[in-house]
Amino acid sequence: MLLIRSFTSNYSDYKIKTYRELSFEFAKKGFDAINKYTLKQNYQSRLSDYCFDDLGAEQQIKHFGNDCNVMAEVLISRYEQFVKNNSITHLTSNLSATEIEMLYGNWLRSRMRQMFNLITFNVATTDKR
């Protein structure tokens, strides 16, 4: 996604955040951490663009006993903003579509079909991190 960013205009520039970082933010700050990625500011016409890296690597996190599937909540909220304001979200994952559905459910997977263009790599492709 860093390589792709260099081919986009400044208008579509996006920040990169790992799912693990976002989950740990939720553990520290609670739902305020989620709001940072799901609510637009008064001066914005749409949400800031983000690329969430490595979907499926996060763990179920608690904040003072509140259990939350952080990424499901973020993606559902960003889907709503995608429909309303054409907000852009990118994500990366080593999971297959079937594995995503098992972890997050069919409802979220169907929303993801609308939000994302899928780029797949051959299983034999080596990871270039």
Side-chain angles (χ1 to χ4, degrees):
M1 290 305 295
L2 289 171
L3 178 63
I4 291 171
R5 185 166 42 184
S6 64
F7 293 105
T8 62
S9 67
N10 288 340
Y11 175 74
S12 65
D13 193 25
Y14 51 87
K15 301 170 188 110
I16 298 177
K17 191 76 168 175
T18 69
Y19 286 106
R20 289 186 69 233
E21 290 173 324
L22 193 71
S23 294
F24 293 143
E25 279 185 42
F26 173 77
K28 277 184 160 180
K29 300 177 185 174
F31 290 95
D32 287 339
I34 293 175
N35 291 342
K36 178 179 174 182
Y37 304 99
T38 61
L39 299 175
K40 62 184 179 76
Q41 302 298 317
N42 290 334
Y43 61 87
Q44 292 178 306
S45 60
R46 65 184 187 138
L47 284 176
S48 299
D49 296 344
Y50 270 94
C51 172
F52 297 107
D53 187 32
D54 214 6
L55 177 69
E58 76 281 359
Q59 299 173 8
Q60 196 77 359
I61 298 290
K62 290 186 179 192
H63 174 72
F64 292 109
N66 294 321
D67 201 13
C68 180
N69 186 329
V70 175
M71 285 323 305
E73 292 299 323
V74 168
L75 290 174
I76 289 167
S77 295
R78 290 190 70 87
Y79 170 77
E80 292 166 359
Q81 289 297 315
F82 168 72
V83 171
K84 289 179 187 175
N85 305 311
N86 200 28
S87 297
I88 303 297
T89 304
H90 305 282
L91 69 84
T92 68
S93 180
N94 288 329
L95 300 176
S96 69
T98 304
E99 292 169 322
I100 289 172
E101 186 172 344
M102 286 173 41
L103 281 173
Y104 301 99
N106 185 47
W107 190 82
L108 182 58
R109 182 179 172 202
S110 73
R111 299 315 183 265
M112 291 170 72
R113 283 187 196 108
Q114 295 173 33
M115 287 175 69
F116 303 121
N117 295 316
L118 178 64
I119 301 171
T120 61
F121 294 95
N122 187 306
V123 174
T125 302
T126 57
D127 192 352
K128 301 294 183 189
R129 285 187 182 192

